[in-house]
Each structure stands twice: as structure tokens, then as C-alpha cells.
Amino acid sequence: MSETNKSREEILSDLRSDYESGASIRSLVAKTGRSYGSVHSMLLESGTRMRSRGGPNHRRRAS
């Protein structure tokens, strides 16, 4: 089923499932064609527990 035929609830559920399975917001942006802000907002709307920021350029501060 294409994304245009899905209900908002189905889209939110799919985004949440993908994110909770390890997908990054940026990969979801590429998959859906939506903006970063839109995907982030939809994840929050769906009740997704967001991961902390990270990635290859993220460094912990020295204590």
C-alpha cells in the first residue's frame, strides 16, 4: 500500500515501528520524502520515545 493510501494513524505507526527498530530520522526522511521536522513531529505525536543524539560525529564531553 502506498503512503498516500494509508491513514495518518498507519503512517505514524509505521514511522514509530521503523524508528524503534533502529532506523534514523534521516533514513525515514529519505524513505517517506517528508521533511526532517515533519518526521520528528510525527514520531513525537505517535508517542515514540526518542533516542539521544548520536552518530559518528557525536562526542561525549570529557568529565
Side-chain angles (χ1 to χ4, degrees), residues 1-24:
M1 180 184 298
S2 74
E3 186 168 310
T4 55
N5 293 334
K6 291 183 178 181
S7 70
R8 183 165 181 87
E9 291 76 24
E10 289 174 311
I11 294 169
L12 293 175
S13 177
D14 288 349
L15 286 172
R16 181 176 181 167
S17 177
D18 289 348
Y19 183 81
E20 290 178 345
S21 294
S24 68

Side-chain angles (χ1 to χ4, degrees), residues 16-39:
R16 181 176 181 167
S17 177
D18 289 348
Y19 183 81
E20 290 178 345
S21 294
S24 68
I25 294 176
R26 294 200 187 279
S27 69
L28 296 174
V29 166
K31 178 180 177 181
T32 64
R34 295 175 184 270
S35 71
Y36 185 98
S38 175
V39 170

